[in-house]
Amino acid sequence: MRIHHQCPLYYSLFLFLLATAILISPSHGYLGKCNPSDYKALMNIKKSLSPYEFSWELNSWVQNTDCCDWHGVICDDKSNCVAGLSILGGEISGQIPSSVGDLPYLVSLSFRNIKNITGSVPQSITKLKHLIRLDLSYLSLSGPVPNFLNQLTALNFLDLSYNQISGSIPPNLSDLKHIRTIQLDGNELTGSIPELFGKFTGTVPELYLSRNKLTGPIPKSLGALGYREINLSRNKLTWDASILFNPNHSSTTFIDLSRNQFEFDFTNVKFPKDLNWLDISHNKIFGGIPEEIKDLESLEMLKVGYNRLCGKIPTGGNMERFKSTSFFHNKCL
Ligand SMILES: *[C@@H]1O[C@H](CO)[C@@H](O)[C@H](O)[C@H]1NC(C)=O
Ligand SMILES: *[C@@H]1O[C@H](CO)[C@@H](O)[C@H](O)[C@H]1NC(C)=O
Ligand SMILES: *[C@@H]1O[C@H](CO)[C@@H](O)[C@H](O)[C@H]1NC(C)=O
Ligand SMILES: *[C@@H]1O[C@H](CO)[C@@H](O)[C@H](O)[C@H]1NC(C)=O
């Protein structure tokens, strides 16, 4: 991981002062390459996450040692600023420390798989203008998806999956020009998918919204964008999802609409040609299965079971790949 900035501090002046301090007081430690202001922020983070005896990362954060050598900390090799922080698992409790906002050159921040991390995302992270990757998944975060995440203008990857986050999805996540992946699956989100999710100004992100409590129809705007992967499984979405099938969107490879309350005619759906995974099972979809499905050479997963489909299952082409379980429990297939 590389960023091309120098730490904004008078680093050499500090080193000089530090060296002086070491000379004067031999008990004083030595921070090595560690940027002193980053060191201070990391120490504050550690303090707010105590007790940390069972954290592999935090246990290595020993006072007056070089933070660039600590577990879970990555320093940029040019500027020596802290560019990556990841605490993965371990038995620690508390909230995500607001001091993470005091690591201004952070590019990647992960707290993952720590059941006793509660509370919400601190607003201080909006200070992290270089943050590209934010992974706060498999924690116990609650409250809404923060409505300030759109201020993380460099963000490319956002993962808040498997928490207890509630409320509706902030539409202005679509401001994120560089976002490529949005994972909000496995939460308690309500409301509908924002209309603005059909208006991402930059790249169209992969969208994972499964296992929530989203309701309402899919906004028409979503049909205009070629989502590469979209997973809406296990929500309470209704009406027409046929707009997600657009043959002009050659990048679409993965569509999972399973376990919702979608209700539309499947007969005239036109598939993107590189579709690889299609799961529309457990809905109220009616009509027939379009003959063209057998020409989708990349299709490896097909589930249309538990719907109200009728008519003949297409044969030939790739259809040999799919067993009868793919078509289970329909009205008159
Ligand atoms: C989580 O917190 C609860 C209550 O404070 C505590 O009893 C439990 O030991 C903690 N678990 C872990 C894995 O830290
Ligand atoms: C983003 O949207 C939320 C509401 O969803 C709003 O409260 C917030 O002010 C918006 N943020 C910006 C920067 O526009
Ligand atoms: C889509 O989401 C559902 C529900 O979480 C999950 O079972 C399924 O595996 C997901 N599909 C992929 C390819 O990740
Ligand atoms: C696909 O593109 C063609 C040609 O630009 C256009 O006529 C057609 O309406 C498009 N189809 C859809 C479903 O958007």
Coordinates of all heavy atoms in Angstrom, one line a residue, residues 26 41 48 77 80 87 92 102 106 111 116 157 167-168 175 193 232 241 262:
P26 N 17.5 8.8 30.0 CA 17.8 7.5 29.3 C 16.6 6.5 29.4 O 16.6 5.6 28.7 CB 19.0 7.0 30.1 CG 19.4 8.1 31.0 CD 18.4 9.1 31.1
A41 N -2.0 8.8 18.5 CA -3.4 8.4 18.1 C -3.6 6.9 18.4 O -4.6 6.4 18.9 CB -3.7 8.7 16.6
S48 N -8.7 3.1 24.5 CA -10.1 3.0 24.6 C -10.7 1.6 24.3 O -11.9 1.4 24.3 CB -10.8 4.1 23.6 OG -10.1 4.1 22.4
D77 N 5.8 3.2 3.2 CA 7.2 3.1 3.2 C 8.0 4.3 2.8 O 9.2 4.4 3.0 CB 7.8 1.8 2.5 CG 7.1 1.5 1.2 OD1 5.9 1.9 1.1 OD2 7.6 0.8 0.4
N80 N 6.4 7.0 6.0 CA 6.3 6.4 7.4 C 5.0 6.7 8.1 O 4.9 6.4 9.3 CB 7.5 6.7 8.2 CG 8.8 6.1 7.7 OD1 8.7 5.0 7.1 ND2 9.9 6.7 7.9
I87 N -7.8 -4.5 12.9 CA -7.9 -5.3 14.1 C -8.9 -6.4 13.7 O -10.1 -6.1 13.5 CB -8.4 -4.5 15.2 CG1 -7.7 -3.1 15.4 CG2 -8.4 -5.2 16.5 CD1 -6.5 -3.1 16.3
I92 N -12.0 -8.1 22.4 CA -11.9 -6.7 22.9 C -13.3 -6.1 22.9 O -14.2 -6.6 22.2 CB -11.0 -5.8 22.1 CG1 -11.2 -5.9 20.6 CG2 -9.5 -6.1 22.5 CD1 -10.3 -5.0 19.8
D102 N -7.6 10.5 13.9 CA -6.4 11.3 14.1 C -5.2 10.6 13.4 O -4.0 10.8 13.6 CB -6.0 11.4 15.6 CG -7.1 12.2 16.3 OD1 -7.8 13.0 15.7 OD2 -7.4 11.9 17.5
L106 N -4.5 7.5 6.8 CA -5.0 6.2 6.7 C -5.7 5.9 5.4 O -6.5 6.7 4.9 CB -6.0 6.0 7.8 CG -6.2 4.6 8.5 CD1 -4.8 4.1 9.0 CD2 -7.1 4.7 9.7
F111 N -12.0 -3.0 11.2 CA -12.3 -3.7 12.5 C -13.2 -4.8 12.0 O -14.3 -4.5 11.5 CB -13.0 -2.8 13.5 CG -12.1 -1.9 14.2 CD1 -11.7 -0.7 13.7 CD2 -11.7 -2.2 15.5 CE1 -10.9 0.2 14.4 CE2 -10.9 -1.3 16.2 CZ -10.4 -0.2 15.6
N116 N -17.9 -7.8 20.4 CA -18.1 -6.9 21.5 C -17.8 -5.4 21.1 O -17.7 -4.6 22.0 CB -17.4 -7.2 22.8 CG -18.2 -8.2 23.6 OD1 -19.3 -8.7 23.2 ND2 -17.7 -8.5 24.8
F157 N -14.1 0.9 -1.2 CA -14.7 -0.3 -0.7 C -15.3 0.0 0.7 O -14.7 0.5 1.6 CB -13.6 -1.3 -0.5 CG -14.0 -2.6 0.1 CD1 -14.5 -3.7 -0.7 CD2 -13.9 -2.8 1.4 CE1 -14.8 -4.9 -0.2 CE2 -14.3 -4.0 2.0 CZ -14.8 -5.0 1.2
G167 N -32.5 1.5 10.3 CA -32.8 2.7 9.5 C -32.7 2.5 8.0 O -32.4 1.4 7.6
S168 N -32.8 3.6 7.3 CA -32.8 3.4 5.9 C -31.4 3.7 5.3 O -30.5 4.2 6.0 CB -33.8 4.3 5.2 OG -33.6 5.6 5.6
D175 N -22.9 9.7 -3.8 CA -21.9 10.8 -4.1 C -20.5 10.2 -4.3 O -19.6 10.9 -4.8 CB -21.8 11.8 -2.9 CG -23.1 12.5 -2.7 OD1 -24.0 12.5 -3.7 OD2 -23.3 13.1 -1.7
I193 N -34.7 0.9 -1.4 CA -33.4 1.1 -2.1 C -33.5 2.5 -2.6 O -34.4 2.9 -3.4 CB -33.1 0.1 -3.2 CG1 -33.1 -1.3 -2.6 CG2 -31.8 0.4 -3.9 CD1 -33.0 -2.4 -3.6
L232 N -29.8 -8.9 -3.6 CA -30.9 -8.3 -2.9 C -31.6 -9.4 -2.1 O -32.7 -9.2 -1.5 CB -31.9 -7.6 -3.8 CG -31.3 -6.6 -4.7 CD1 -32.4 -6.0 -5.7 CD2 -30.7 -5.5 -3.9
A241 N -38.9 -6.6 -10.9 CA -37.4 -6.5 -10.9 C -36.9 -6.7 -12.2 O -35.7 -6.9 -12.4 CB -36.9 -7.5 -9.9
F262 N -41.0 -10.4 -5.0 CA -41.1 -9.8 -6.4 C -42.2 -10.6 -7.1 O -42.4 -11.8 -7.0 CB -39.8 -10.1 -7.1 CG -38.7 -9.1 -6.6 CD1 -37.5 -9.7 -6.1 CD2 -38.8 -7.8 -6.7 CE1 -36.5 -8.8 -5.6 CE2 -37.8 -6.9 -6.2 CZ -36.7 -7.5 -5.7

